[in-house]
Amino acid sequence: MTTETILEGQVILIDKPLTWSSFQAVNKLKYILKHQYDLPKKFKIGHAGTLDPLATGLLIVCTGKFTKKITEIQIQAKEYTGTITIGATTPSYDLETEIDATFPTEHITEALILNTSQQFIGEIDQKPPVFSAIKKDGKRLYEHARAGEEVVIESRKTTIYEFEITKIQLPDINFRIVCSKGTYIRSIAFDFGKALLSGGHLTQLRRTKIGSFSVENGVSPEKFDNLPKSILQ
């Protein structure tokens, strides 16, 4: 890479570590690029799709003129792998908050799990988690939630192209999902538990693909100093 190619535009594939925010990952890259390539203070850089701090995996970062491609990248199908833990729910639908209710699991069989997963394939109605960054009345939903305020969340349509159960070791169910933009995997975990007549929450999540971009070609922000050419598209 050179100063000129960065300003003209690069697509950089990052494997975001656990507990890092997407903002932190982009800021780390911005710091490295500015200091290694003597870039202008306000050079353009941004990511194509937020990952929660408790998720790992593919974060696509665009620089320079390629920031115009962000919307085009964001609308592509995304692939995730992860784990749903059955028998309990949390307010955030994941491990950000503590368990608030427990449910029976004795009736749950492998056949029930596989059959239930098929109910989620296609266009579905989904309510985003209350602990999300969607704005309601001028505030993020998570701001309302942390203030103890109740808000009405409207459902939205999303599409699940593939929902594969890869391993069952109750209470944990491993999965692979391919879905459209705007899908909340945390909501799928909650709804999946409910469909099993139990409860569920997301305990692990990794984004593996966005369109043709794969996390296999990505590096962690901390290794970006020795960035291989293979992650430049």
Side-chain angles (χ1 to χ4, degrees):
M1 285 191 297
T2 65
T3 301
E4 290 73 22
T5 58
I6 293 170
L7 294 176
E8 277 300 309
Q10 295 284 343
V11 175
I12 303 170
L13 307 187
I14 293 300
D15 187 349
K16 188 190 79 65
L18 188 67
T19 73
W20 282 54
S21 70
S22 299
F23 180 78
Q24 285 176 306
V26 172
N27 263 6
K28 175 72 171 179
L29 266 63
K30 185 176 183 179
Y31 176 84
I32 293 170
L33 290 172
K34 281 177 65 176
H35 286 78
Q36 286 191 353
Y37 296 95
D38 193 29
L39 292 162
K41 188 176 181 179
K42 293 186 177 181
F43 83 98
K44 291 182 178 180
I45 186 169
H47 65 78
T50 301
L51 269 179
D52 291 335
L54 293 181
T56 66
L58 182 60
L59 186 70
I60 299 179
V61 179
C62 299
T63 72
K65 295 178 181 178
F66 276 21
T67 53
K68 295 178 180 178
K69 295 177 177 282
I70 286 177
T71 301
E72 174 188 330
I73 294 170
Q74 283 179 325
I75 63 174
Q76 297 183 54
K78 298 170 177 63
E79 180 186 80
Y80 296 89
T81 60
T83 303
I84 299 170
T85 298
I86 296 300
T89 57
T90 70
S92 60
Y93 301 171
D94 64 3
L95 294 176
E96 183 183 343
T97 54
E98 298 292 326
I99 289 172
D100 61 354
T102 57
F103 302 84
T105 60
E106 294 81 6
H107 64 286
I108 298 175
T109 63
E110 180 175 332
L112 178 61
I113 291 168
L114 295 175
N115 289 337
T116 302
S117 68
Q118 297 306 299
Q119 299 174 19
F120 287 79
I121 295 176
E123 187 178 72
I124 63 171
D125 287 313
Q126 176 182 89
K127 282 190 176 182
V130 68
F131 281 81
S132 63
I134 295 171
K135 281 193 173 182
K136 175 83 173 180
D137 300 329
K139 291 168 62 176
R140 304 287 184 184
L141 285 182
Y142 63 76
E143 293 177 314
H144 288 288
R146 289 168 183 164
E149 301 167 356
E150 291 191 13
V151 292
V152 177
I153 304 173
E154 296 180 1
S155 64
R156 52 176 63 186
K157 293 194 180 296
T158 187
T159 303
I160 309 301
Y161 303 109
E162 299 178 44
F163 189 176
E164 177 188 4
I165 303 299
T166 56
K167 183 180 179 181
I168 300 171
Q169 192 170 0
L170 293 179
D172 294 337
I173 301 171
N174 292 358
F175 64 86
R176 183 184 68 86
I177 283 177
V178 180
C179 57
S180 64
K181 175 183 180 293
T183 302
Y184 281 91
I185 307 299
R186 286 182 286 153
S187 291
I188 290 177
F190 178 84
D191 293 340
F192 190 66
K194 192 174 180 180
L196 290 171
L197 301 179
S198 182
H201 61 288
L202 190 67
T203 49
Q204 190 172 17
L205 184 66
R206 181 166 176 78
R207 185 160 65 196
T208 49
K209 291 181 181 178
I210 299 177
S212 61
F213 299 103
S214 173
V215 72
E216 292 178 358
N217 297 321
V219 296
S220 73
E222 294 171 322
K223 293 181 179 178
F224 188 70
D225 287 296
N226 301 308
L227 185 68
K229 292 181 181 179
S230 63
I231 76 166
L232 300 180
Q233 307 294 322

